[in-house]
Amino acid sequence: MSFGRILTLATGAKLPQIGLGTWLSKPHEVENAVEIAVRNGYRHLDLAFIYENQDEVGAALKKVIPSVVKREDLFITSKLWCNGFRPEEVEKQLDEGLAQAGLDYFDLYLIHWPVAFKAGKSLYPSDAEKEGWVALDRGVTLAETWKAMNALPKTKVRAVGVSNFSVPVLEELIKATGIVPTVNQIEAHPLLPQDELVAYCKEKDIHLTAYSPLGNNLKGKPKLTDYPEVKAIANRLGATEAQVLIAWGVSRGYSVIPKSVQEERIISNFQQIELTQEDIEALNALGKNNRTRFNIPHHYTPRWDISIFGEPEEETATNKPLVS
């Protein structure tokens, strides 16, 4: 079973350290996954408008609230998508998301990416001048969106934060608005430990949540769960490779949101193990000469003409996050 560790945000809110991610889940899988998760002890759920499955989450929640759990005992995160960054659009998209999930409020609401798209109904508006590319909106700043997020009614959103924000973007955002995000949700695993970002957020009391803690296979590289070093630790501890990677994230003090739609894995991911310092160092070593960021929108389809992280793979992008 989970160790039941609860982390405290800067707002004083309590966040269960292990949550269920719902990204990259196929239609009709999420409803079942969320119900299984909640029935097996999960109390932290990670959603997003762009996942286009919040209605399924809502259907699952109807099956478990209040029979299994009270709404106030769940911590539910969602995220503002890039086509809703104009200040007048922020609350509209929030309301749409709450309606999809059948909820009165989200415990946490994040700016999903430091990138604004052209406003409108399309989630990926097409750039009229560049076929195959998304239309960015360079007429709104992240500072404007962030102020609008902080103006949202507390009856609808208990706390606000960001996702996929680097140290330079965070620094400029805080300088421009004077408002420190409660949470920054980031890709983090042994191939991408993000030590500088982890240290900066700790200094600023910004809680980190790690998505893709098992890595992913978006790049066609070997899965982290297939690495011999991970398998060796798992075998020694009588654990799954996923449990080992989740425990690595937990050892670093942040919350972790593994995603699965398979009942056996949903349950086993919640059954925590303790790693030795030697285990942690062995996992740290995996990324030393093999640093890998799996999630880079510049290479999505459609492509995004923006360098979000300053990675070599983003060198051909002509834009950077427009903060202020």
Side-chain angles (χ1 to χ4, degrees), residues 155-212:
T155 52
K156 296 180 183 180
V157 168
R158 301 292 163 88
V160 291
V162 297
S163 181
N164 299 300
F165 276 44
S166 65
V167 172
V169 173
L170 283 169
E171 283 186 320
E172 190 178 344
L173 184 73
I174 294 167
K175 185 178 178 182
T177 63
I179 310 167
V180 179
T182 304
V183 170
N184 186 16
Q185 187 177 124
I186 61 168
E187 178 184 345
H189 42 74
L191 302 184
L192 190 70
Q194 306 230 56
D195 293 334
E196 181 193 0
L197 182 56
V198 170
Y200 176 82
C201 288
K202 187 174 183 181
E203 176 194 325
K204 294 291 184 183
D205 200 15
I206 300 170
H207 175 78
L208 285 176
T209 295
Y211 71 78
S212 295

Side-chain angles (χ1 to χ4, degrees), residues 289-301:
N289 299 306
N290 188 30
R291 184 180 176 281
T292 303
R293 186 187 293 277
F294 291 100
N295 196 15
I296 300 177
H298 185 51
H299 296 291
Y300 280 7
T301 303

Side-chain angles (χ1 to χ4, degrees), residues 4-320:
R5 288 182 180 146
I6 305 292
L7 306 175
T8 304
L9 303 180
T11 60
K14 305 297 183 185
L15 172 69
Q17 191 165 21
I18 304 293
L20 180 75
T22 58
W23 182 41
L24 294 178
S25 296
K26 294 173 186 172
H28 312 302
E29 292 181 333
V30 170
E31 180 179 345
N32 191 43
V34 169
E35 182 182 357
I36 290 167
V38 174
R39 290 190 185 280
N40 284 279
Y42 285 77
R43 296 295 179 262
H44 173 187
L45 305 173
D46 184 76
L47 288 53
F49 192 81
I50 190 59
Y51 302 164
E52 297 186 85
N53 57 21
Q54 293 190 131
D55 55 337
E56 289 190 44
V57 175
L61 292 175
K62 284 176 182 167
K63 296 177 183 177
V64 294
I65 300 172
S67 58
V68 177
V69 66
K70 296 176 184 173
R71 167 63 185 96
E72 57 266 31
D73 292 331
L74 291 173
F75 191 100
I76 302 177
T77 299
S78 189
K79 308 177 194 79
L80 177 76
W81 186 238
C82 307
N83 64 338
F85 278 26
R86 291 268 170 175
E88 64 273 17
E89 298 296 324
V90 172
E91 190 170 358
K92 291 178 190 174
Q93 193 179 106
L94 167 65
D95 289 342
E96 194 176 340
L98 287 170
Q100 288 171 353
L103 296 170
D104 295 325
Y105 68 93
F106 289 125
D107 296 273
L108 179 65
Y109 200 51
L110 309 177
I111 295 179
H112 204 146
W113 288 95
V115 186
F117 290 174
K118 184 179 174 183
K121 284 294 179 187
S122 176
L123 296 172
Y124 291 99
S126 297
D127 189 323
E129 297 176 6
K130 288 166 59 179
E131 189 178 346
W133 294 78
V134 72
L136 304 184
D137 183 352
R138 304 301 280 175
V140 61
T141 66
L142 290 170
E144 291 172 299
T145 306
W146 183 229
K147 287 176 183 174
M149 290 279 284
N150 280 274
L152 291 169
K154 290 291 185 280
T155 52
K156 296 180 183 180
V157 168
R158 301 292 163 88
V160 291
V162 297
S163 181
N164 299 300
F165 276 44
S166 65
V167 172
V169 173
L170 283 169
E171 283 186 320
E172 190 178 344
L173 184 73
I174 294 167
K175 185 178 178 182
T177 63
I179 310 167
V180 179
T182 304
V183 170
N184 186 16
Q185 187 177 124
I186 61 168
E187 178 184 345
H189 42 74
L191 302 184
L192 190 70
Q194 306 230 56
D195 293 334
E196 181 193 0
L197 182 56
V198 170
Y200 176 82
C201 288
K202 187 174 183 181
E203 176 194 325
K204 294 291 184 183
D205 200 15
I206 300 170
H207 175 78
L208 285 176
T209 295
Y211 71 78
S212 295
L214 316 181
N216 63 45
N217 56 359
L218 291 180
K219 281 196 168 186
K221 284 192 169 190
K223 289 184 179 180
L224 257 172
T225 48
D226 291 335
Y227 276 62
E229 298 87 343
V230 177
K231 286 183 172 295
I233 295 169
N235 289 337
R236 200 191 80 247
L237 296 175
T240 68
E241 291 81 6
Q243 286 171 341
V244 170
L245 294 166
I246 292 164
W248 178 85
V250 165
S251 76
R252 290 164 65 82
Y254 40 68
S255 53
V256 183
I257 47 170
K259 166 251 161 181
S260 183
V261 294
Q262 297 178 21
E263 181 167 5
E264 184 182 340
R265 289 182 184 172
I266 291 169
I267 293 169
S268 66
N269 286 350
F270 200 59
Q271 294 166 342
Q272 291 182 257
I273 60 168
E274 289 276 12
L275 300 177
T276 65
Q277 189 57 38
E278 189 179 344
D279 294 333
I280 292 167
E281 287 168 7
L283 294 169
N284 289 344
L286 295 181
K288 287 289 190 286
N289 299 306
N290 188 30
R291 184 180 176 281
T292 303
R293 186 187 293 277
F294 291 100
N295 196 15
I296 300 177
H298 185 51
H299 296 291
Y300 280 7
T301 303
R303 296 188 67 180
W304 303 17
D305 185 16
I306 189 161
S307 175
I308 294 170
F309 305 111
E311 296 283 358
E313 297 97 321
E314 299 173 301
E315 279 179 353
T316 57
T318 60
N319 295 294
K320 291 184 177 179

